[in-house]
Amino acid sequence: MSAAGLVSRMIYRRVCIGLAPLHIHTSRLANGSPDGLVAAPTDLRAIDPYFAEELLHGRIGLAGRVLETGGASPFQLECPSIVFEERLNAFSWLRHVRASKSGEACARARRIVSDWMSVSGKRTSGIAWSPDIAAQRLIAWLSHSPVVLNEADAGFYRRFLKSLSFHVRYLDRIAKHVPDGEIRLRIRIALAMASITIPTRASKIARSGRKLAQELERQILPDGGHVSRNPRVMLDLLLDLLPLRQSYINLGHDLPPGLVPAVDRMFPAIRFFRHQGGDLALFNGATATLANELVSVLRYDETSGKPSKLLPDVAYHRLAEDETVIIVDTGYPGSSELSRNAHAGCLSFEMSCGRNRFIVNSGFPRNAAPEFQAASRSTAAHSTVTLADTSSCRLSRSRLLGPIMVSGVSHVETLRSKANGNDVLRASHDGYLKSFGLFHEREIELNPTGTKIKGRDALRLEDDAARMPSIAAVSRFHIHPHIQLHQEDEESVYMQAADGTTWLLTAPGLELFVSGDIFMADASGIRPSQQIEIAFNLAKTSEIRWIIERKA
């Protein structure tokens, strides 16, 4: 679709979403509300045992920041960051209060919900009513209604149910106008959850289930990956889908036809992206994964078996022998809309051994400022080759379109084979073809014992007869912060884990540089790390080779 077409579609969608509250308020059902709730789905997300205690002392800690309320409504105060404001309005933090089982904490949480309904419940604009935040809030309010309604008076109870009803009508009206991807699916999950936890007609339950099934079939691909190509999205979706599935069963409703097959497809895909230490690979917006959240999801996995070597629909390869795991990105966004959060990391890879991640991508800093989030999407933030400090995909700067990818990788060729017992992956992409007339080719070879990795990076001209231009290139290997680097000589660097596991990265005939770096996907926030760089100029050499070999 042309840029003009994308802009027109975006304007139309924004107008439809903006007008949705007006249509709801003026409808004859605007004042309707349910009589009660019949269930509260389980929340599988991690719990902070100190949150409720801090809440009682007037402190709200979210997104790595703390808001001192002094007893005032947090919605009348300036939030420390945009991400904090989003988390506050999403109300997923209610799970921490539910875990505390404190009547006083429940009363404080109910007061905050009441404040929200007074301040934001009637305004229907701003961050609080962005589609994703509204969907998250509906799921949170339904899941943690026992917290909110604990010892609530009749007046609050009616207001709360009326607000829930408005959320349902609002999300139902805007769902088809939300851009493609995770948010649209989360809205369908929220609406399906509401249909079985708020008393309604059987026909409405069936309709919500059908809509969810259609979206699951479209977004969860045959190989189990999500259309966003983000491993973390699959975990987040399962954290909502599993309680929803159980709620259907507990309440005696027929399961939506596509729910169980979609969940069953996703489990092997999650295991594909999981390093042996329990962390998910950092591709296309993936960020820190809490071990207990991943474990809480995988305990429902009945598919078993070893992870596959390939996810063909989302285009990732996995090379694994003994304790060594290598995961390689060999794909690109399926559409402009789906590129909104995609990263320019084609042909980047991550490598782990046992419980240690050695080579990683920088990851997405969920709680960081926008400039860091934008930087995390660049090719330089991935363990692959960068030409002339330029990313392999270019992002739009249009405020209307948002940060979608407007040019870059459009074709990737891959070949998986065996050579002398070694597992070999060869791949190339055209992300630098338009800007420099070049293809990037990468070859990664893992031996049968998982102790030696051979790599090759080459830049090839579209016109083989042309002369190679003088362009600076860098092959980067981002190192996990837990790994210590020791430079042996100008061609070799040791990578050592805390348990003594050691690998040696060598680039024969080339010079390796160790430089400062930042790791953006740590649970505690952005933290310093290191990277190994192989810099070369295409006029002198268009192909480099490197070896990573286990030493201890």
Side-chain angles (χ1 to χ4, degrees):
M1 182 178 291
S2 67
L6 287 171
V7 169
S8 298
R9 176 189 287 183
M10 187 59 64
I11 292 174
Y12 174 73
R13 284 176 166 171
R14 289 187 180 182
V15 169
C16 290
I17 292 173
L19 291 176
L22 178 62
H23 288 294
I24 296 170
H25 282 307
T26 56
S27 72
R28 62 186 179 88
L29 298 175
N31 296 318
S33 62
D35 296 326
L37 299 173
V38 297
T42 304
D43 193 330
L44 300 177
R45 289 176 171 81
I47 300 297
D48 178 357
Y50 302 105
F51 184 92
E53 182 180 344
E54 290 293 293
L55 187 67
L56 291 175
H57 288 88
R59 292 187 290 271
I60 302 176
L62 296 169
R65 308 294 287 274
V66 176
L67 178 65
E68 296 276 358
T69 66
S73 167
F75 305 107
Q76 301 286 8
L77 304 174
E78 183 177 354
C79 290
S81 69
I82 292 176
V83 181
F84 183 102
E85 186 177 359
E86 290 174 343
R87 302 282 177 83
L88 177 65
N89 281 276
F91 280 89
S92 296
W93 51 265
L94 285 171
R95 68 185 186 274
H96 308 308
V97 180
R98 188 177 186 180
S100 76
K101 299 179 181 179
S102 162
E104 190 178 1
C106 289
R108 176 61 180 151
R110 182 166 59 254
R111 178 181 165 188
I112 295 176
V113 172
S114 180
D115 290 340
W116 185 91
M117 290 190 292
S118 298
V119 174
S120 301
K122 301 174 183 177
R123 191 168 55 198
T124 60
S125 62
I127 286 177
W129 283 99
S130 64
D132 190 30
I133 300 303
Q136 290 183 52
R137 184 169 54 251
L138 178 57
I139 292 172
W141 281 10
L142 293 170
S143 299
H144 304 294
S145 54
V147 170
V148 180
L149 298 176
N150 180 44
E151 298 184 0
D153 58 46
F156 175 86
Y157 194 82
R158 286 193 299 271
R159 289 175 64 212
F160 184 68
L161 293 179
K162 187 174 181 179
S163 186
L164 284 176
S165 181
F166 183 86
H167 275 75
V168 170
R169 294 196 298 275
Y170 172 73
L171 291 172
D172 189 44
R173 191 167 191 94
I174 70 170
K176 65 182 179 181
H177 301 300
V178 172
D180 193 12
E182 175 191 6
I183 297 174
R184 189 187 295 178
L185 180 51
R186 182 169 291 114
I187 289 173
R188 290 301 177 191
I189 293 171
L191 291 171
M193 188 177 291
S195 75
I196 60 174
T197 56
I198 300 174
T200 189
R201 299 185 305 276
S203 60
K204 189 171 182 180
I205 295 174
R207 175 182 175 273
S208 295
R210 284 196 305 272
K211 294 287 187 180
L212 172 62
Q214 291 168 3
E215 203 61 40
L216 284 169
E217 183 64 24
R218 201 178 59 78
Q219 292 202 31
I220 307 303
L221 300 174
D223 64 9
H226 183 256
V227 290
S228 66
R229 307 187 65 249
N230 180 342
R232 173 70 205 213
V233 165
M234 293 188 296
L235 175 60
D236 288 336
L237 290 173
L238 282 171
L239 286 167
D240 288 328
L241 287 170
L242 291 172
L244 176 62
R245 182 182 67 176
Q246 193 60 45
S247 295
Y248 270 102
I249 295 171
N250 292 345
L251 296 170
H253 296 296
D254 292 335
L255 287 161
L259 178 55
V260 172
V263 168
D264 287 345
R265 292 199 305 274
M266 293 171 76
F267 278 126
I270 281 279
R271 286 190 279 106
F272 175 98
F273 287 110
R274 187 176 184 240
H275 290 286
Q276 292 188 44
D279 298 285
L280 288 181
L282 301 173
F283 294 102
N284 282 296
T287 187
T289 303
L290 296 177
N292 51 353
E293 286 190 344
L294 188 54
V295 169
S296 69
V297 163
L298 289 177
R299 66 179 176 151
Y300 293 92
D301 181 10
E302 298 177 354
T303 58
S304 67
K306 291 184 178 180
S308 64
K309 294 183 177 181
L310 166 66
L311 294 184
D313 300 300
V314 288
Y316 285 95
H317 283 259
R318 180 183 175 105
L319 294 77
E321 298 289 352
D322 194 34
E323 291 190 307
T324 302
V325 173
I326 302 168
I327 304 173
V328 188
D329 181 353
T330 57
Y332 54 92
S335 68
S336 295
E337 285 188 350
L338 292 171
S339 75
R340 190 171 304 278
N341 297 307
H343 287 207
C346 189
L347 301 195
S348 66
F349 77 100
E350 294 201 345
M351 170 259 175
S352 63
C353 181
R355 299 188 63 82
N356 303 298
R357 285 186 288 171
F358 282 82
I359 297 171
V360 295
N361 294 314
S362 295
F364 182 73
R366 178 176 289 184
N367 299 332
E371 55 267 27
F372 281 102
Q373 294 182 345
S376 75
R377 300 179 64 188
S378 68
T379 301
H382 297 77
S383 291
T384 187
V385 171
T386 306
L387 289 186
D389 291 326
T390 304
S391 287
S392 59
C393 296
R394 187 169 64 87
L395 304 182
S396 166
R397 296 183 180 181
S398 166
R399 290 188 177 182
L400 279 173
L401 292 178
I404 64 171
M405 290 181 175
V406 292
S407 67
V409 179
S410 61
H411 182 70
V412 180
E413 292 186 358
T414 60
L415 176 64
R416 190 79 174 263
S417 63
K418 285 284 187 179
N420 300 319
N422 297 343
D423 193 358
V424 183
L425 172 65
R426 297 180 180 89
S428 66
H429 76 70
D430 63 351
Y432 289 116
L433 183 60
K434 185 175 181 180
S435 300
F436 302 103
L438 294 163
F439 294 92
H440 173 209
E441 297 179 347
R442 168 162 275 185
E443 180 179 308
I444 298 177
E445 180 176 338
L446 177 64
N447 71 351
T449 59
T451 57
K452 190 171 185 178
I453 304 164
K454 293 182 180 179
R456 178 180 68 88
D457 284 306
L459 283 305
R460 176 173 58 83
L461 285 166
E462 182 180 22
D463 181 0
D464 293 333
R467 182 177 180 181
M468 186 66 71
S470 178
I471 299 175
V474 179
S475 185
R476 289 186 171 86
F477 304 82
H478 294 276
I479 308 302
H480 192 275
H482 291 165
I483 303 301
Q484 298 296 316
L485 299 184
H486 309 281
Q487 188 140 13
E488 172 74 359
D489 51 47
E490 65 177 20
E491 296 182 359
S492 308
V493 176
Y494 281 102
M495 303 180 290
Q496 186 175 50
D499 64 3
T501 304
T502 304
W503 289 73
L504 179 66
L505 173 59
T506 304
L510 299 168
E511 188 173 358
L512 298 182
F513 297 91
V514 175
S515 60
D517 196 12
I518 54 174
F519 183 64
M520 303 192 200
D522 194 84
S524 61
I526 294 175
R527 60 182 296 185
S529 59
Q530 292 180 295
Q531 61 182 321
I532 301 172
E533 299 177 322
I534 306 175
F536 57 104
N537 192 293
L538 302 189
K540 296 180 179 179
T541 179
S542 60
E543 178 177 311
I544 63 170
R545 295 179 181 271
W546 41 268
I547 300 170
I548 308 174
E549 192 168 9
R550 185 167 182 174
K551 295 300 181 181

PDB file of all heavy atoms in Angstrom, residues 472-494:
ATOM      1  N   ALA A 472      32.293   1.430   5.003  1.00  0.00           N
ATOM      2  CA  ALA A 472      32.669   0.866   6.302  1.00  0.00           C
ATOM      3  C   ALA A 472      31.580  -0.097   6.771  1.00  0.00           C
ATOM      4  O   ALA A 472      30.385   0.205   6.695  1.00  0.00           O
ATOM      5  CB  ALA A 472      32.866   1.979   7.321  1.00  0.00           C
ATOM      6  N   ALA A 473      31.980  -1.259   7.252  1.00  0.00           N
ATOM      7  CA  ALA A 473      31.058  -2.266   7.763  1.00  0.00           C
ATOM      8  C   ALA A 473      31.529  -2.740   9.127  1.00  0.00           C
ATOM      9  O   ALA A 473      32.725  -2.723   9.417  1.00  0.00           O
ATOM     10  CB  ALA A 473      30.964  -3.444   6.798  1.00  0.00           C
ATOM     11  N   VAL A 474      30.582  -3.139   9.948  1.00  0.00           N
ATOM     12  CA  VAL A 474      30.904  -3.659  11.280  1.00  0.00           C
ATOM     13  C   VAL A 474      30.037  -4.880  11.555  1.00  0.00           C
ATOM     14  O   VAL A 474      28.814  -4.820  11.420  1.00  0.00           O
ATOM     15  CB  VAL A 474      30.664  -2.613  12.393  1.00  0.00           C
ATOM     16  CG1 VAL A 474      31.002  -3.209  13.760  1.00  0.00           C
ATOM     17  CG2 VAL A 474      31.482  -1.353  12.155  1.00  0.00           C
ATOM     18  N   SER A 475      30.685  -5.957  11.930  1.00  0.00           N
ATOM     19  CA  SER A 475      29.962  -7.130  12.404  1.00  0.00           C
ATOM     20  C   SER A 475      30.019  -7.095  13.927  1.00  0.00           C
ATOM     21  O   SER A 475      31.102  -7.136  14.521  1.00  0.00           O
ATOM     22  CB  SER A 475      30.601  -8.418  11.878  1.00  0.00           C
ATOM     23  OG  SER A 475      29.815  -9.540  12.243  1.00  0.00           O
ATOM     24  N   ARG A 476      28.850  -6.974  14.554  1.00  0.00           N
ATOM     25  CA  ARG A 476      28.788  -6.815  16.012  1.00  0.00           C
ATOM     26  C   ARG A 476      28.320  -8.087  16.693  1.00  0.00           C
ATOM     27  O   ARG A 476      27.440  -8.781  16.206  1.00  0.00           O
ATOM     28  CB  ARG A 476      27.847  -5.661  16.389  1.00  0.00           C
ATOM     29  CG  ARG A 476      28.371  -4.283  16.066  1.00  0.00           C
ATOM     30  CD  ARG A 476      27.439  -3.185  16.593  1.00  0.00           C
ATOM     31  NE  ARG A 476      28.035  -1.870  16.460  1.00  0.00           N
ATOM     32  CZ  ARG A 476      27.954  -1.119  15.372  1.00  0.00           C
ATOM     33  NH1 ARG A 476      27.275  -1.572  14.325  1.00  0.00           N
ATOM     34  NH2 ARG A 476      28.545   0.061  15.321  1.00  0.00           N
ATOM     35  N   PHE A 477      28.893  -8.322  17.879  1.00  0.00           N
ATOM     36  CA  PHE A 477      28.487  -9.415  18.752  1.00  0.00           C
ATOM     37  C   PHE A 477      28.208  -8.800  20.120  1.00  0.00           C
ATOM     38  O   PHE A 477      29.134  -8.472  20.870  1.00  0.00           O
ATOM     39  CB  PHE A 477      29.594 -10.474  18.848  1.00  0.00           C
ATOM     40  CG  PHE A 477      30.034 -11.029  17.513  1.00  0.00           C
ATOM     41  CD1 PHE A 477      30.948 -10.332  16.721  1.00  0.00           C
ATOM     42  CD2 PHE A 477      29.513 -12.215  17.045  1.00  0.00           C
ATOM     43  CE1 PHE A 477      31.352 -10.821  15.496  1.00  0.00           C
ATOM     44  CE2 PHE A 477      29.916 -12.727  15.805  1.00  0.00           C
ATOM     45  CZ  PHE A 477      30.830 -12.032  15.030  1.00  0.00           C
ATOM     46  N   HIS A 478      26.933  -8.590  20.409  1.00  0.00           N
ATOM     47  CA  HIS A 478      26.561  -7.991  21.688  1.00  0.00           C
ATOM     48  C   HIS A 478      26.652  -9.068  22.779  1.00  0.00           C
ATOM     49  O   HIS A 478      26.087 -10.161  22.637  1.00  0.00           O
ATOM     50  CB  HIS A 478      25.143  -7.421  21.629  1.00  0.00           C
ATOM     51  CG  HIS A 478      25.021  -6.265  20.688  1.00  0.00           C
ATOM     52  ND1 HIS A 478      25.324  -4.966  21.048  1.00  0.00           N
ATOM     53  CD2 HIS A 478      24.649  -6.217  19.377  1.00  0.00           C
ATOM     54  CE1 HIS A 478      25.124  -4.158  20.010  1.00  0.00           C
ATOM     55  NE2 HIS A 478      24.731  -4.890  18.986  1.00  0.00           N
ATOM     56  N   ILE A 479      27.333  -8.748  23.846  1.00  0.00           N
ATOM     57  CA  ILE A 479      27.627  -9.722  24.895  1.00  0.00           C
ATOM     58  C   ILE A 479      26.727  -9.476  26.103  1.00  0.00           C
ATOM     59  O   ILE A 479      26.547  -8.327  26.531  1.00  0.00           O
ATOM     60  CB  ILE A 479      29.106  -9.641  25.319  1.00  0.00           C
ATOM     61  CG1 ILE A 479      30.021  -9.733  24.080  1.00  0.00           C
ATOM     62  CG2 ILE A 479      29.426 -10.730  26.326  1.00  0.00           C
ATOM     63  CD1 ILE A 479      29.837 -10.992  23.255  1.00  0.00           C
ATOM     64  N   HIS A 480      26.178 -10.562  26.650  1.00  0.00           N
ATOM     65  CA  HIS A 480      25.308 -10.434  27.820  1.00  0.00           C
ATOM     66  C   HIS A 480      26.101  -9.862  28.993  1.00  0.00           C
ATOM     67  O   HIS A 480      27.287 -10.179  29.163  1.00  0.00           O
ATOM     68  CB  HIS A 480      24.725 -11.802  28.182  1.00  0.00           C
ATOM     69  CG  HIS A 480      23.617 -11.720  29.174  1.00  0.00           C
ATOM     70  ND1 HIS A 480      23.835 -11.682  30.536  1.00  0.00           N
ATOM     71  CD2 HIS A 480      22.273 -11.645  29.016  1.00  0.00           C
ATOM     72  CE1 HIS A 480      22.681 -11.593  31.164  1.00  0.00           C
ATOM     73  NE2 HIS A 480      21.716 -11.564  30.272  1.00  0.00           N
ATOM     74  N   PRO A 481      25.474  -9.009  29.809  1.00  0.00           N
ATOM     75  CA  PRO A 481      26.202  -8.362  30.920  1.00  0.00           C
ATOM     76  C   PRO A 481      26.845  -9.332  31.915  1.00  0.00           C
ATOM     77  O   PRO A 481      27.808  -8.967  32.601  1.00  0.00           O
ATOM     78  CB  PRO A 481      25.113  -7.528  31.615  1.00  0.00           C
ATOM     79  CG  PRO A 481      24.089  -7.287  30.568  1.00  0.00           C
ATOM     80  CD  PRO A 481      24.092  -8.500  29.699  1.00  0.00           C
ATOM     81  N   HIS A 482      26.339 -10.554  32.018  1.00  0.00           N
ATOM     82  CA  HIS A 482      26.899 -11.514  32.972  1.00  0.00           C
ATOM     83  C   HIS A 482      28.188 -12.161  32.477  1.00  0.00           C
ATOM     84  O   HIS A 482      28.840 -12.893  33.220  1.00  0.00           O
ATOM     85  CB  HIS A 482      25.880 -12.605  33.274  1.00  0.00           C
ATOM     86  CG  HIS A 482      24.707 -12.114  34.064  1.00  0.00           C
ATOM     87  ND1 HIS A 482      23.529 -12.835  34.185  1.00  0.00           N
ATOM     88  CD2 HIS A 482      24.519 -10.977  34.776  1.00  0.00           C
ATOM     89  CE1 HIS A 482      22.677 -12.158  34.938  1.00  0.00           C
ATOM     90  NE2 HIS A 482      23.247 -11.031  35.289  1.00  0.00           N
ATOM     91  N   ILE A 483      28.559 -11.885  31.234  1.00  0.00           N
ATOM     92  CA  ILE A 483      29.752 -12.491  30.634  1.00  0.00           C
ATOM     93  C   ILE A 483      30.936 -11.529  30.721  1.00  0.00           C
ATOM     94  O   ILE A 483      30.809 -10.352  30.400  1.00  0.00           O
ATOM     95  CB  ILE A 483      29.492 -12.875  29.162  1.00  0.00           C
ATOM     96  CG1 ILE A 483      28.291 -13.815  29.060  1.00  0.00           C
ATOM     97  CG2 ILE A 483      30.737 -13.493  28.543  1.00  0.00           C
ATOM     98  CD1 ILE A 483      28.423 -15.104  29.832  1.00  0.00           C
ATOM     99  N   GLN A 484      32.073 -12.053  31.161  1.00  0.00           N
ATOM    100  CA  GLN A 484      33.307 -11.268  31.231  1.00  0.00           C
ATOM    101  C   GLN A 484      34.136 -11.495  29.971  1.00  0.00           C
ATOM    102  O   GLN A 484      34.262 -12.626  29.495  1.00  0.00           O
ATOM    103  CB  GLN A 484      34.134 -11.671  32.461  1.00  0.00           C
ATOM    104  CG  GLN A 484      33.444 -11.417  33.789  1.00  0.00           C
ATOM    105  CD  GLN A 484      33.212  -9.934  34.031  1.00  0.00           C
ATOM    106  OE1 GLN A 484      34.098  -9.105  33.787  1.00  0.00           O
ATOM    107  NE2 GLN A 484      32.022  -9.602  34.515  1.00  0.00           N
ATOM    108  N   LEU A 485      34.700 -10.410  29.446  1.00  0.00           N
ATOM    109  CA  LEU A 485      35.537 -10.493  28.245  1.00  0.00           C
ATOM    110  C   LEU A 485      37.010 -10.292  28.603  1.00  0.00           C
ATOM    111  O   LEU A 485      37.351  -9.429  29.414  1.00  0.00           O
ATOM    112  CB  LEU A 485      35.116  -9.446  27.221  1.00  0.00           C
ATOM    113  CG  LEU A 485      33.684  -9.542  26.673  1.00  0.00           C
ATOM    114  CD1 LEU A 485      33.466  -8.482  25.596  1.00  0.00           C
ATOM    115  CD2 LEU A 485      33.396 -10.922  26.119  1.00  0.00           C
ATOM    116  N   HIS A 486      37.867 -11.105  27.992  1.00  0.00           N
ATOM    117  CA  HIS A 486      39.317 -10.990  28.177  1.00  0.00           C
ATOM    118  C   HIS A 486      39.960 -11.105  26.803  1.00  0.00           C
ATOM    119  O   HIS A 486      39.875 -12.150  26.151  1.00  0.00           O
ATOM    120  CB  HIS A 486      39.850 -12.093  29.101  1.00  0.00           C
ATOM    121  CG  HIS A 486      39.105 -12.217  30.393  1.00  0.00           C
ATOM    122  ND1 HIS A 486      39.324 -11.365  31.457  1.00  0.00           N
ATOM    123  CD2 HIS A 486      38.122 -13.088  30.782  1.00  0.00           C
ATOM    124  CE1 HIS A 486      38.530 -11.710  32.461  1.00  0.00           C
ATOM    125  NE2 HIS A 486      37.785 -12.737  32.071  1.00  0.00           N
ATOM    126  N   GLN A 487      40.608 -10.029  26.367  1.00  0.00           N
ATOM    127  CA  GLN A 487      41.192 -10.032  25.024  1.00  0.00           C
ATOM    128  C   GLN A 487      42.529 -10.762  25.056  1.00  0.00           C
ATOM    129  O   GLN A 487      43.450 -10.403  25.780  1.00  0.00           O
ATOM    130  CB  GLN A 487      41.366  -8.605  24.498  1.00  0.00           C
ATOM    131  CG  GLN A 487      41.792  -8.573  23.041  1.00  0.00           C
ATOM    132  CD  GLN A 487      41.099  -7.473  22.247  1.00  0.00           C
ATOM    133  OE1 GLN A 487      40.484  -6.589  22.812  1.00  0.00           O
ATOM    134  NE2 GLN A 487      41.204  -7.534  20.925  1.00  0.00           N
ATOM    135  N   GLU A 488      42.623 -11.834  24.261  1.00  0.00           N
ATOM    136  CA  GLU A 488      43.837 -12.638  24.177  1.00  0.00           C
ATOM    137  C   GLU A 488      44.880 -11.925  23.321  1.00  0.00           C
ATOM    138  O   GLU A 488      46.030 -11.742  23.714  1.00  0.00           O
ATOM    139  CB  GLU A 488      43.489 -14.006  23.589  1.00  0.00           C
ATOM    140  CG  GLU A 488      44.676 -14.884  23.270  1.00  0.00           C
ATOM    141  CD  GLU A 488      45.320 -15.465  24.519  1.00  0.00           C
ATOM    142  OE1 GLU A 488      44.855 -15.168  25.639  1.00  0.00           O
ATOM    143  OE2 GLU A 488      46.299 -16.210  24.376  1.00  0.00           O
ATOM    144  N   ASP A 489      44.486 -11.517  22.123  1.00  0.00           N
ATOM    145  CA  ASP A 489      45.334 -10.748  21.219  1.00  0.00           C
ATOM    146  C   ASP A 489      44.396  -9.984  20.296  1.00  0.00           C
ATOM    147  O   ASP A 489      43.183  -9.990  20.496  1.00  0.00           O
ATOM    148  CB  ASP A 489      46.296 -11.662  20.440  1.00  0.00           C
ATOM    149  CG  ASP A 489      45.578 -12.823  19.766  1.00  0.00           C
ATOM    150  OD1 ASP A 489      44.536 -12.583  19.121  1.00  0.00           O
ATOM    151  OD2 ASP A 489      46.034 -13.972  19.899  1.00  0.00           O
ATOM    152  N   GLU A 490      44.923  -9.344  19.279  1.00  0.00           N
ATOM    153  CA  GLU A 490      44.063  -8.495  18.455  1.00  0.00           C
ATOM    154  C   GLU A 490      43.051  -9.309  17.646  1.00  0.00           C
ATOM    155  O   GLU A 490      42.050  -8.761  17.191  1.00  0.00           O
ATOM    156  CB  GLU A 490      44.900  -7.626  17.518  1.00  0.00           C
ATOM    157  CG  GLU A 490      45.685  -8.381  16.467  1.00  0.00           C
ATOM    158  CD  GLU A 490      46.433  -7.452  15.534  1.00  0.00           C
ATOM    159  OE1 GLU A 490      46.657  -6.279  15.913  1.00  0.00           O
ATOM    160  OE2 GLU A 490      46.775  -7.892  14.420  1.00  0.00           O
ATOM    161  N   GLU A 491      43.281 -10.619  17.512  1.00  0.00           N
ATOM    162  CA  GLU A 491      42.363 -11.459  16.746  1.00  0.00           C
ATOM    163  C   GLU A 491      41.402 -12.271  17.615  1.00  0.00           C
ATOM    164  O   GLU A 491      40.482 -12.892  17.082  1.00  0.00           O
ATOM    165  CB  GLU A 491      43.151 -12.445  15.869  1.00  0.00           C
ATOM    166  CG  GLU A 491      44.009 -11.794  14.788  1.00  0.00           C
ATOM    167  CD  GLU A 491      44.725 -12.839  13.945  1.00  0.00           C
ATOM    168  OE1 GLU A 491      44.554 -14.056  14.237  1.00  0.00           O
ATOM    169  OE2 GLU A 491      45.430 -12.455  12.993  1.00  0.00           O
ATOM    170  N   SER A 492      41.596 -12.276  18.950  1.00  0.00           N
ATOM    171  CA  SER A 492      40.859 -13.224  19.794  1.00  0.00           C
ATOM    172  C   SER A 492      40.384 -12.582  21.090  1.00  0.00           C
ATOM    173  O   SER A 492      41.102 -11.790  21.703  1.00  0.00           O
ATOM    174  CB  SER A 492      41.745 -14.433  20.133  1.00  0.00           C
ATOM    175  OG  SER A 492      42.308 -15.004  18.971  1.00  0.00           O
ATOM    176  N   VAL A 493      39.167 -12.964  21.507  1.00  0.00           N
ATOM    177  CA  VAL A 493      38.601 -12.500  22.779  1.00  0.00           C
ATOM    178  C   VAL A 493      37.946 -13.686  23.476  1.00  0.00           C
ATOM    179  O   VAL A 493      37.141 -14.411  22.871  1.00  0.00           O
ATOM    180  CB  VAL A 493      37.541 -11.395  22.560  1.00  0.00           C
ATOM    181  CG1 VAL A 493      36.908 -10.994  23.889  1.00  0.00           C
ATOM    182  CG2 VAL A 493      38.169 -10.171  21.892  1.00  0.00           C
ATOM    183  N   TYR A 494      38.296 -13.885  24.759  1.00  0.00           N
ATOM    184  CA  TYR A 494      37.661 -14.911  25.576  1.00  0.00           C
ATOM    185  C   TYR A 494      36.354 -14.362  26.154  1.00  0.00           C
ATOM    186  O   TYR A 494      36.300 -13.221  26.611  1.00  0.00           O
ATOM    187  CB  TYR A 494      38.571 -15.354  26.722  1.00  0.00           C
ATOM    188  CG  TYR A 494      39.661 -16.321  26.310  1.00  0.00           C
ATOM    189  CD1 TYR A 494      40.977 -15.884  26.120  1.00  0.00           C
ATOM    190  CD2 TYR A 494      39.368 -17.668  26.115  1.00  0.00           C
ATOM    191  CE1 TYR A 494      41.974 -16.770  25.743  1.00  0.00           C
ATOM    192  CE2 TYR A 494      40.366 -18.567  25.734  1.00  0.00           C
ATOM    193  CZ  TYR A 494      41.650 -18.114  25.551  1.00  0.00           C
ATOM    194  OH  TYR A 494      42.637 -19.001  25.169  1.00  0.00           O
TER     195      TYR A 494
END
